[in-house]
Amino acid sequence: MGKSQESNTITYQEILAVKAPLRELKSWHEALHFMRYFLDGKKTRTSGEMQACAEMFEVVYQNLGALLSETEGYLSKLVQSK
């Protein structure tokens, strides 16, 4: 394999490094799907249910932001090294 081909090779570890946050993003996507039940405007909610929804949204929002940043970092590192 020539030098130019080697520099464009992505290692299995690099693929796994990006795949892990994507799995987490998928699990948070499933949590967001469940939140549609709570956000249905046709149903009345107790204050406890609204509080639970707000807390779940905050956790999902923070984790999605962190995972997106982490994944962007991995991808930037891959692009710069290749």
Side-chain angles (χ1 to χ4, degrees):
M1 194 179 284
K3 178 81 171 160
S4 63
Q5 286 181 325
E6 288 177 18
S7 65
N8 291 328
T9 303
I10 298 174
T11 67
Y12 186 66
Q13 289 80 13
E14 292 169 326
I15 293 169
L16 291 178
V18 174
K19 198 172 183 177
L22 290 175
R23 273 194 301 264
E24 287 186 58
L25 285 170
K26 184 178 179 187
S27 71
W28 286 114
H29 179 262
E30 293 166 2
L32 288 175
H33 177 75
F34 180 70
M35 283 183 64
R36 290 188 337 192
Y37 163 79
F38 285 105
L39 300 175
D40 185 358
K42 297 175 185 171
K43 298 183 183 199
T44 57
R45 301 279 176 237
T46 65
S47 61
E49 288 175 325
M50 293 303 290
Q51 179 66 29
C53 183
E55 289 174 10
M56 189 162 81
F57 176 81
E58 184 63 30
V59 169
V60 169
Y61 180 76
Q62 289 176 2
N63 280 291
L64 281 176
L67 287 169
L68 288 172
S69 295
E70 182 180 343
T71 305
E72 287 174 350
Y74 285 137
L75 293 175
S76 293
K77 192 185 307 182
L78 285 174
V79 169
Q80 289 174 358
S81 68
K82 302 304 173 198

